[in-house]
Amino acid sequence: AAVLRAPDVEVADHALEDIRKTQPLLDNWISSLESAKAISRISPFYRWAEKEIGQQMQVATGMDYATRNLRVLTRRVDYLVRDEKPRPQLADLVGKIIIATELLEQTSDDFSVTQKARKYLQKIPASLDPKVFDPPLTTSESAVLLQIRPLYVDLAIAAGVEPARARVLLPKVD
């Protein structure tokens, strides 16, 4: 979002490097949850945790997919900002995605935040319609917007929205 607001190729390059380093963290998170799930099935002392582990697995899987989409989005933004033109409309949209991601992050401490994340995410689709941008987006900017859409779907799924419902929430694109 900051790079779209105030283009800086060096910062964009660093963001791309940083996002590429996240995959091992996600893999470890999912692996830990799989181990916890196995233990909760076997041990009568941990059966109470099975539901929460399942909910966390849903978030972790959605965040894994979202992070993969974020890598593609970050590469597109890295390319886009090379013309050093600010794009505040796209920056505002990415800011909304950041807020949704921060809400999902809080679910690891308090799973009741999931409903808040879900409600917040349901407000975003109107912003994902290329027709609402004024001035209209260029082709390169539209490519960035279209890359945000699958990221949005992955975050919505992580928040517990059914995949088909998450896709239906998106405005149609010609």
Side-chain angles (χ1 to χ4, degrees):
V3 169
L4 287 166
R5 202 169 301 288
D8 185 329
V9 175
E10 190 174 322
V11 173
D13 289 344
H14 287 298
L16 187 54
E17 287 175 28
D18 288 346
I19 194 66
R20 286 179 173 153
K21 295 176 185 174
T22 61
Q23 193 59 49
L25 299 171
L26 289 162
D27 292 342
N28 289 339
W29 183 19
I30 291 171
S31 178
S32 295
L33 287 170
E34 287 170 348
S35 296
K37 187 175 182 178
I39 291 169
S40 72
R41 283 186 191 154
I42 295 169
S43 173
F45 300 109
Y46 292 104
R47 284 208 181 103
W48 60 268
E50 203 166 353
K51 181 180 178 186
E52 185 175 330
I53 293 167
Q55 292 170 328
Q56 286 298 317
M57 184 61 87
Q58 173 184 312
V59 173
T61 302
M63 293 305 286
D64 182 30
Y65 294 148
T67 302
R68 292 168 195 266
N69 275 311
L70 183 58
R71 282 189 214 111
V72 175
L73 173 63
T74 304
R75 279 193 299 271
R76 287 195 186 273
V77 169
D78 188 30
Y79 172 78
L80 181 67
V81 300
R82 296 195 181 270
D83 66 1
E84 299 181 352
K85 178 183 167 190
R87 292 172 170 87
Q89 295 180 102
L90 288 173
D92 291 345
L93 178 55
V94 171
K96 291 176 183 178
I97 295 295
I98 291 168
I99 291 169
T101 304
E102 289 170 345
L103 287 169
L104 286 168
E105 178 186 15
Q106 293 173 27
T107 64
S108 62
D109 295 326
D110 180 2
F111 212 76
S112 68
V113 178
T114 306
Q115 186 173 1
K116 186 176 179 181
R118 196 175 311 125
K119 283 183 181 181
Y120 182 81
L121 279 159
Q122 290 179 352
K123 296 176 185 177
I124 294 177
S127 305
L128 296 170
D129 187 346
K131 296 173 191 152
V132 302
F133 288 84
D134 186 30
L137 299 176
T138 65
T139 302
S140 295
E141 293 167 343
S142 293
V144 170
L145 173 65
L146 293 175
Q147 188 56 50
I148 293 171
R149 293 166 60 98
L151 173 61
Y152 163 80
V153 169
D154 293 334
L155 292 173
I157 291 169
V161 177
E162 290 296 320
R165 173 77 178 132
R167 288 183 205 94
V168 167
L169 291 171
L170 291 173
K172 300 285 184 219
V173 176
D174 298 333

